[in-house]
Amino acid sequence: MQPPLTVWYNTRCPVCNAGITRQRRRLLAAMQKGIIEFRDINLEPEALARFGAGLEEVRRRLHAVDAQGRLLVGADCAIAIWRLTPGEAWLGWLLGLPVLRQVMRFAYDGFADRLYGWNRRKGHW
């Protein structure tokens, strides 16, 4: 049985890994209940091939598959995680509002592109 939210992330990015480690600590109860699962894309590079998402796409942006089998990418994935995180559900709700979601997508994508470039220059993969 698939959890309601399966998040794919890049453990080779120190910033990404630290962020997910923080979220995992905050979501321990949800993980134990099977509400959310975090998976390393480097261990299963073809995991999202059915969506046309490969290893490099997940290295660039968070990806998740929700309970309905929909792919969430980047800011939409982060918002879904915050909505499940104790003490941060309000942030997911706020940034999920239509206008703020667009701002969040723009900001997330800009940061993700810079972080991806930095990781490539540093030879993290």
Side-chain angles (χ1 to χ4, degrees), residues 9-93:
Y9 72 106
N10 178 18
T11 58
R12 294 185 185 165
C13 166
V15 175
C16 306
N17 200 39
I20 293 298
T21 297
R22 177 190 173 278
Q23 288 304 115
R24 287 173 67 122
R25 282 194 303 267
R26 299 202 63 180
L27 286 162
L28 186 58
M31 289 170 40
Q32 290 170 341
K33 292 178 183 174
I35 295 170
I36 189 168
E37 180 180 15
F38 293 94
R39 312 239 351 218
D40 179 4
I41 195 63
N42 296 293
L43 299 177
E44 302 174 71
E46 300 297 320
L48 299 173
R50 71 181 187 264
F51 296 103
L55 179 61
E56 292 305 310
E57 286 82 15
V58 180
R59 285 179 170 171
R60 186 178 295 269
R61 289 174 179 75
L62 282 173
H63 284 62
V65 178
D66 68 11
Q68 290 76 38
R70 294 177 297 204
L71 183 67
L72 306 174
V73 179
D76 295 325
C77 181
I79 289 167
I81 295 168
W82 284 322
R83 286 180 173 165
L84 295 174
T85 305
E88 295 180 356
W90 67 271
L91 184 59
W93 175 83

